[in-house]
Amino acid sequence: MGAESERVAGFGKLEDGLRQAGDWYRWGPYLSERQWGTVREDYSAYGDAWDYVPYDHARSYAYRWGEDGMAGFSDIEQRLCLSLALWNGRDPILKERAFGLTGEQGNHGEDVKEYWWYLDAIPSHAWNRWRYHYPQGPFPYQDLIGENSRRNRYEPEYELLDTGAFDDNRYWIVEVRYAKAGPDDLLMAISVTNAGPDADTLHVLPTAWFRNTWSWESDGHRPAMAATSDISVGIEHPFTGTLELLADQGPDGATPEILFCENETNMERLYGVRSATPYPKDGINDHVVSGAATVNPERAGTKCAFWYKVTVQPGQTARLRLRLRPAQTQAAFGDAFDRVLALREAEADEFYAELTPAGASADEAMVMRQAFGGMLWSKQLFDYDVSRWLDGDPAEPRPPDQRLTGRNARWRHFSAFDIMSMPDKWEYPWFASWDMSFHCVALAHVDPAFAKYQLILLCREWFQNPDGQLPAYEWDFGDVNPPVQAWAALEVFAIDGGRDIDFISRIFDKLLVNFTWWVNREDAEGNNLFEGGFLGLDNIGPIDRSHLPVGGILEQSDATGWMGFYAIAMGTMAVVLNRSGRRPHQDLALKFLEHFAAISDALEDLGLWDDTDGLYYDRLKTPGGDTVPVKVRSMVGIIPAIAAAVVSEDDVRQSLALGKGFAGFMIRHEMTDRQKLAERGVLRGEAGDQRLLLSLCGPDRLERLFTKLFDESEFLSPHGLRALSAYHRDHPYQLQVEGLTATIDYEPAESTTPMFGGNSNWRGPVWFPLNYLIVSALERYHRFYGDDLTVEYPAGSGHQLTLDKVADDLSDRLISIFTAGPDGRRACFGGTQIMQSDPAWRDNLIFSEYFHGDNGAAIGAFHQTGWTGVVADLIRRRHGEVPMLGDVIRRIGAQPGH
């Protein structure tokens, strides 16, 4: 498939360093959407990242650790960047980056206030397509800030559409398409459509600049760019080599003006002291908007833009073309340019046609393609050397001493310079370890080598703490996230066909260290009940689980369930390695069975199961010696059910022969009597090929738990499973302990609590990660029980379904968030009428962070194509296109000689 066929040379060998990536990966969408307000750029004493570099400073401040931009592309080390700037002639500033509110400004936390979409991409980035809607009138910056500040947490967010900025269709539709004629020959095609009723003029400024790598060293090398003609800029950089950036004439035949400044901080504007140059980073902005003499008349610098002024009639489209390539004499534009665009788009069509299941509808195919496209657009260079960040740069003032004992201070070993998959390049422009595991499951369908690279990277010595902990996310590497990496590695392995034993072997060794860290550090009393704290579920409980307001220990059913889940995944990896014949790991497989047995005993004996309610609950042990159950009906109480494994007859026989802990577990639970096991329904199959089901949630409890989970008045919504039961809508839960009173009730949309900045809500909405794991668990249970086990679904309906049919229905509910219903409406758009009905909006999908617990409307981070991107996996899996892990493992065992 032309350029796309080159992707196999990409990250396939997982060698160290970015330079090992294939040639076709050298240029891609590696810029952030927001570098301002990040931890990396925060050099304050007390970690006030949002305020240290706010949005108003971003256009004037030379970033230290990365760059941002709209429709941004760069080389793999982000030395040279290319993006789009716009000006409608009425705004006070150029539109160089997306605008949004900080955590303090938004009534529900940080929130981007723009509309752009990642419509398409392929893994090599030989084809990428991006879309943005830009108001023709003044952008309502202050209105958005003021109104959201006025609103409280019980009111909805005030969005850009609410301001009237798009009334009468007075906006521009801007599309950018990137295509590669070769690994270093990048074509940029820009189209601007006037959606309004009157002719109007848009200033379009494709912009190129060097990331500032020279200001931080006393002898830093400054690269150079300069005009070589009226339509070309010569570029010299040690990493990228000699390049040229060329611009075609505008649609009216006019040649754009080339403007130059330096990617240097405007010290005078920000700090009231003299700048190092009269042409600072915001020089092009000030020149275009106000005519200031802030661009270099010598037409040279470290940042440049081609200034087009395009007048477009109503409903018409203007097109602009640029090209970045090694310097040469061949024509840059003309018919050959358009042929490359058409060829790359055709290759992308072919690529996704091969991935689209035969039985999928056209709408499902579009959802799948945009989900994958968003995943691929969400790559970013993540550059962060914690020691350097704490101590400061040689050419810069020393940071405040308070930082040395503050955020991430015990992670001095951490030094990342890697292309990574981001949850959201505006709201979360940093990696998150448990999010990334779900990213990789989706990415494995389009670029399995990159997915493996991501999982391995989390475990590398410059990421993983020497004590074994994996870093959580930039805001606090030391927070504890669910240990899902082993599960994700197995899923990626299976999706990729179950061939890459080296990958499993490599990540298994690293995760052994992490598993040991969990056992040693997160089980305070050594009783196999775990206390992970935060665990990525933010405000799912009435109190902050990371910082208990009453002290003591919170024994968590979800942390314990996650550890059972982790033990199963590690044991399964050991089985894969053993069956492959590459490494004898039977003893390690048994080790993890014994861990699982101990965790199962703890859940059984130590009081986390509530037999009356049919759920698991956390248990708070106070400093005063009291034990208080936290009776919140939430996903916390469901997670133990996802920890299930099928043990082969050979493994059972060997464990009994060894006579160790797992054998004792089986004896205590009367699991050595095959007849009794068969009667209980946990031993199935013919003699010699029998299988034993191990689950933290036994068969009797499982059916009780399913009754709650599949009750539409509790967890089951029209679009998936809620994070918190709707039971609490009419029955708020109140926790009273040690003089503290804390409450929680069902909130299907934005949270009303300021916990975790007010932008997180696990108190009712539908979240994809846990839904996805439950669907997977149901499929595993069905593969064991087959048609012999049915449950009432929905609860109270009288309809009995096998668990595979339940899994199918849950998948359909999740997919229906994005697909158009019989009335043509998409649940994700909620009540936003223009998105539901306007042809310019209705097929541009929103893969948001989470979804309304009652109607499926998109909420939270607007471009959370991270774990929500697994909807693409669900579509392929729903149509039978994805191999089951169990089948993959059996094939390994059946290979000759094993």
Side-chain angles (χ1 to χ4, degrees):
M1 291 178 56
E4 194 52 31
S5 66
E6 300 289 341
R7 71 188 179 93
V8 296
F11 295 95
K13 293 186 178 180
L14 297 174
E15 297 294 340
D16 297 345
L18 296 172
R19 293 180 184 273
Q20 296 298 326
D23 290 347
W24 286 93
Y25 290 81
R26 194 152 43 234
W27 297 87
Y30 306 138
L31 270 67
S32 172
E33 301 285 359
R34 176 179 64 81
Q35 185 69 14
W36 62 274
T38 61
V39 167
R40 281 158 289 161
E41 301 298 337
D42 175 18
Y43 281 78
S44 67
Y46 300 106
D48 195 0
W50 281 116
D51 290 339
Y52 188 77
V53 184
Y55 179 83
D56 184 56
H57 287 193
R59 69 180 182 275
S60 308
Y61 181 84
Y63 296 129
R64 169 63 179 88
W65 295 101
E67 294 290 342
D68 56 21
M70 304 203 321
F73 252 55
S74 77
D75 64 87
I76 205 165
E77 291 194 354
Q78 206 180 91
R79 306 297 184 177
L80 178 64
C81 307
L82 181 64
S83 74
L84 184 66
L86 304 167
W87 188 48
N88 58 19
R90 301 170 180 92
D91 283 347
I93 59 173
L94 297 185
K95 181 65 68 176
E96 294 182 272
R97 57 188 52 80
F99 170 72
L101 305 179
T102 70
E104 292 297 320
Q105 290 174 326
N107 62 323
H108 294 287
E110 69 262 30
D111 188 28
V112 70
K113 300 297 183 184
E114 304 267 17
Y115 300 108
W116 79 92
W117 298 268
Y118 304 125
L119 294 183
D120 207 8
I122 56 177
S124 65
H125 305 297
W127 170 259
N128 274 56
R129 182 174 163 227
W130 175 94
R131 182 181 176 112
Y132 173 59
H133 290 180
Y134 180 39
Q136 293 176 350
F139 195 92
Y141 292 104
Q142 291 306 314
D143 184 24
L144 288 164
I145 293 172
E147 179 60 20
N148 278 284
S149 176
R150 185 193 65 77
R151 295 189 180 193
N152 62 38
R153 297 190 185 279
Y154 295 91
E155 296 177 280
E157 294 169 350
Y158 184 58
E159 305 293 3
L160 181 56
L161 276 167
D162 299 329
T163 68
F166 293 92
D167 288 357
D168 301 320
N169 288 330
R170 295 185 184 275
Y171 66 95
W172 296 98
I173 300 172
V174 182
E175 284 210 9
V176 176
R177 291 173 296 161
Y178 287 104
K180 294 178 186 177
D184 298 299
D185 191 348
L186 183 65
L187 284 59
M188 182 183 191
I190 304 167
S191 66
V192 293
T193 301
N194 183 354
D198 303 312
D200 207 344
T201 299
L202 180 65
H203 300 250
V204 183
L205 295 101
T207 304
W209 71 100
F210 296 117
R211 179 165 61 91
N212 189 326
T213 57
W214 56 87
S215 292
W216 327 115
E217 307 286 352
S218 54
D219 56 351
H221 172 78
R222 180 192 294 265
M225 59 175 63
T228 54
S229 74
D230 288 342
I231 61 166
S232 65
V233 173
I235 295 169
E236 295 286 346
H237 192 286
F239 178 74
T240 64
T242 301
L243 300 172
E244 61 179 4
L245 178 64
L246 304 105
D248 199 6
Q249 295 177 337
D252 58 356
T255 300
E257 182 179 357
I258 310 178
L259 307 175
F260 286 86
C261 64
E262 303 289 346
N263 188 14
E264 299 274 10
T265 298
N266 187 338
M267 302 293 289
E268 184 173 350
R269 176 176 183 265
L270 297 186
Y271 309 114
V273 299
R274 185 175 179 178
S275 296
T277 172
Y279 318 117
K281 179 180 175 180
D282 53 10
I284 294 172
N285 174 90
D286 293 353
H287 179 75
V288 172
V289 172
S290 62
T294 50
V295 294
N296 189 348
E298 300 297 322
R299 300 207 305 170
T302 50
K303 177 181 178 181
C304 74
F306 290 91
W307 185 7
Y308 291 93
K309 304 168 190 175
V310 182
T311 300
V312 187
Q313 297 299 314
Q316 299 300 304
T317 300
R319 292 178 172 82
L320 309 173
R321 302 188 295 184
L322 293 96
R323 192 163 189 169
L324 177 68
R325 67 183 187 182
Q328 55 189 272
T329 58
Q330 292 181 340
F333 302 108
D335 292 343
F337 185 100
D338 294 333
R339 282 197 297 272
V340 171
L341 285 175
L343 175 61
R344 295 299 178 242
E345 185 173 18
E347 289 174 347
D349 290 344
E350 183 183 348
F351 178 72
Y352 282 109
E354 292 176 1
L355 284 170
T356 302
S361 68
D363 204 32
E364 286 178 317
M366 184 186 72
V367 172
M368 184 197 76
R369 184 164 177 171
Q370 286 195 36
F372 282 138
M375 296 293 305
L376 293 169
W377 264 103
S378 295
K379 296 177 182 178
Q380 178 185 319
L381 175 72
F382 188 76
D383 181 12
Y384 187 24
D385 181 334
V386 171
S387 287
R388 190 72 174 264
W389 178 74
L390 289 170
D391 297 335
D393 295 302
E396 294 293 310
R398 179 182 172 86
D401 288 341
Q402 292 94 325
R403 293 160 54 84
L404 299 178
T405 55
R407 175 180 288 142
N408 295 334
R410 77 174 188 90
W411 290 80
R412 278 186 169 273
H413 74 285
F414 188 97
S415 181
F417 187 68
D418 300 275
I419 300 297
M420 302 191 72
S421 176
M422 297 294 136
D424 180 302
K425 292 207 294 187
W426 194 93
E427 291 210 24
Y428 304 108
W430 50 74
F431 77 92
S433 60
W434 88 294
D435 301 52
M436 186 181 287
S437 296
F438 294 91
H439 302 187
C440 291
V441 171
L443 286 165
H445 294 269
V446 290
D447 199 346
F450 181 71
K452 296 172 201 173
Y453 177 80
Q454 297 296 282
L455 290 168
I456 289 288
L457 187 59
L458 283 177
C459 299
R460 292 310 307 265
E461 57 272 20
W462 57 87
F463 272 69
Q464 188 171 22
N465 197 286
D467 66 12
Q469 184 179 8
L470 297 180
Y473 54 97
E474 179 182 285
W475 207 258
D476 184 357
F477 285 147
D479 252 339
V480 181
N481 277 181
V484 292
Q485 289 74 32
W487 161 81
L490 285 165
E491 291 296 331
V492 168
F493 170 74
I495 292 167
D496 189 38
R499 299 178 297 271
D500 196 346
I501 302 297
D502 286 344
F503 164 66
I504 292 294
S505 179
R506 187 173 181 184
I507 199 167
F508 179 81
D509 290 343
K510 288 289 190 172
L511 291 177
L512 273 175
V513 182
N514 178 247
F515 188 92
T516 303
W517 175 84
W518 268 90
V519 170
N520 291 340
R521 295 292 299 274
E522 299 301 314
D523 178 13
E525 297 189 342
N527 59 7
N528 290 294
L529 294 183
F530 290 82
E531 306 92 31
F534 168 59
L535 281 178
L537 304 184
D538 294 12
N539 59 9
I540 199 166
I543 56 177
D544 185 340
R545 302 197 303 165
S546 293
H547 308 95
L548 299 178
V550 296
I553 297 171
L554 185 67
E555 294 176 331
Q556 295 175 238
S557 58
D558 59 331
T560 305
W562 286 124
M563 280 304 290
F565 185 63
Y566 197 180
I568 285 171
M570 291 296 287
T572 304
M573 279 190 178
V575 168
V576 168
L577 292 172
N578 191 60
R579 289 193 175 200
S580 72
R582 299 286 293 275
R583 296 173 67 177
H585 270 60
Q586 186 70 20
D587 53 341
L588 280 174
L590 292 173
K591 166 188 169 59
F592 288 110
L593 283 176
E594 294 192 359
H595 274 293
F596 180 85
I599 293 167
S600 180
D601 274 343
L603 274 176
E604 179 77 23
D605 299 336
L606 297 177
L608 298 190
W609 172 258
D610 186 291
D611 201 52
T612 300
D613 290 351
L615 284 171
Y616 291 94
Y617 292 130
D618 290 349
R619 188 172 69 170
L620 179 61
K621 300 183 75 172
T622 72
D626 294 327
T627 299
V628 182
V630 183
K631 292 194 170 187
V632 178
R633 299 185 182 184
S634 75
M635 281 292 180
V636 164
I638 306 298
I639 287 170
I642 70 173
V646 179
V647 182
S648 72
E649 186 165 328
D650 284 344
D651 292 331
V652 173
R653 187 182 302 111
Q654 184 163 350
S655 69
L656 289 171
L658 291 173
K660 299 293 185 179
F662 183 62
F665 168 80
M666 294 189 67
I667 293 168
R668 286 194 303 277
H669 290 267
E670 298 183 330
M671 297 175 72
T672 57
D673 186 323
R674 293 175 184 270
Q675 182 61 37
K676 287 184 178 180
L677 289 175
E679 290 172 359
R680 289 173 54 192
V682 295
L683 183 70
R684 302 177 68 83
E686 299 298 325
D689 187 30
Q690 290 184 311
R691 304 181 311 279
L692 175 69
L693 175 68
L694 294 180
S695 172
L696 290 187
C697 189
D700 52 339
R701 292 183 178 179
L702 192 65
E703 294 192 45
R704 294 282 312 283
L705 188 147
F706 283 164
T707 301
K708 282 280 193 299
L709 193 61
F710 302 146
D711 188 334
E712 292 178 309
S713 68
E714 297 234 20
F715 288 96
L716 183 61
S717 86
H719 300 288
L721 298 168
R722 304 174 174 102
L724 188 83
S725 170
Y727 168 84
H728 291 301
R729 191 198 314 264
D730 299 319
H731 305 89
Y733 175 73
Q734 186 175 88
L735 174 67
Q736 293 183 318
V737 58
E738 299 276 316
L740 170 75
T741 299
T743 62
I744 185 171
D745 60 6
Y746 174 70
E747 297 179 289
E750 290 91 351
S751 175
T752 61
T753 174
M755 197 184 299
F756 292 94
N759 70 321
S760 179
N761 187 9
W762 286 82
R763 298 183 169 198
V766 171
W767 291 76
F768 261 75
L770 293 186
N771 272 266
Y772 184 88
L773 291 179
I774 289 169
V775 168
S776 298
L778 290 170
E779 291 171 342
R780 288 197 302 277
Y781 283 119
H782 174 72
R783 290 178 70 82
F784 181 80
Y785 286 113
D787 294 343
D788 293 340
L789 176 63
T790 63
V791 296
E792 189 177 36
Y793 183 87
S797 68
H799 300 295
Q800 294 287 322
L801 293 181
T802 54
L803 294 184
D804 62 328
K805 300 303 181 186
V806 174
D808 287 347
D809 183 75
L810 281 176
S811 296
D812 290 342
R813 290 180 187 233
L814 292 162
I815 294 167
S816 74
I817 291 174
F818 305 103
T819 52
D823 58 358
R825 299 175 68 85
R826 301 184 192 275
C828 60
F829 293 150
T832 308
Q833 190 56 39
I834 192 172
M835 293 182 177
Q836 293 286 12
S837 58
D838 193 308
W841 296 74
R842 66 189 180 198
D843 289 334
N844 307 322
L845 301 180
I846 299 173
F847 296 94
S848 196
E849 185 179 6
Y850 51 93
F851 301 87
H852 194 291
D854 295 333
N855 61 38
I859 316 172
F862 190 62
H863 294 88
Q864 191 82 9
T865 46
W867 52 28
T868 301
V870 296
V871 68
D873 172 279
L874 285 176
I875 291 171
R876 299 199 75 231
R877 200 174 291 269
R878 182 69 179 86
H879 290 280
E881 294 292 324
V882 183
M884 299 295 293
L885 177 62
D887 290 339
V888 171
I889 294 174
R890 276 192 288 276
R891 287 200 298 270
I892 295 171
Q895 291 173 359
H898 297 316

